[in-house]
Amino acid sequence: MEQASWECRVLSGPLGAVMTVQRHDSPYSQIERTFTAVRAALPPANVAAFDAELEEITHAPVVNLAALDDFLSAWWRIAARAAADPADWQRMHREAEQLQSGARTAGPTMAEVQARRGVQR
């Protein structure tokens, strides 16, 4: 069964506010929730981490089925997110590498942004 999500936006223009609604087909419906399908859908840079984590879980003296289910759910979301917009996924990883290497400075923290906006916790 095909799943879809809807995105609503309010845009300001010269004639006032206008609400738009756009349908987005869900990437989750395109990837079967199995270990083989999820691994096949992952970007190549993520496959080694998938394999290492799966091996760690499955080679324990007693396999924790809840941990195995959590593992599959988490990697399924990663595969679906990467498949939904591969260019954005690559951009996010480039930016993370730049931040970790010091080539790019980090932006303000969430607390700093909230303080600027007057949000009190």
Side-chain angles (χ1 to χ4, degrees), residues 14-100:
L15 301 176
V18 177
M19 181 183 287
T20 66
V21 178
Q22 292 180 329
R23 178 184 170 156
H24 296 280
D25 290 329
S26 173
Y28 295 104
S29 63
Q30 298 172 9
I31 300 171
E32 188 178 351
R33 195 174 174 272
T34 65
F35 295 99
T36 304
V38 168
R39 187 181 187 280
L42 287 172
N46 297 103
V47 173
F50 176 94
D51 291 343
E53 190 176 342
L54 181 59
E55 185 172 337
E56 183 180 326
I57 293 170
T58 58
H59 284 83
V62 176
V63 175
N64 179 338
L65 296 180
L68 194 59
D69 185 56
D70 290 345
F71 163 84
L72 181 58
S73 294
W75 281 102
W76 180 60
R77 286 189 299 273
I78 290 169
R81 170 69 176 82
D85 190 345
D88 185 55
W89 184 257
Q90 291 171 355
R91 181 193 53 78
M92 179 198 60
H93 278 280
R94 276 193 310 275
E95 289 178 5
E97 288 170 8
Q98 291 170 352
L99 288 167
Q100 290 174 342

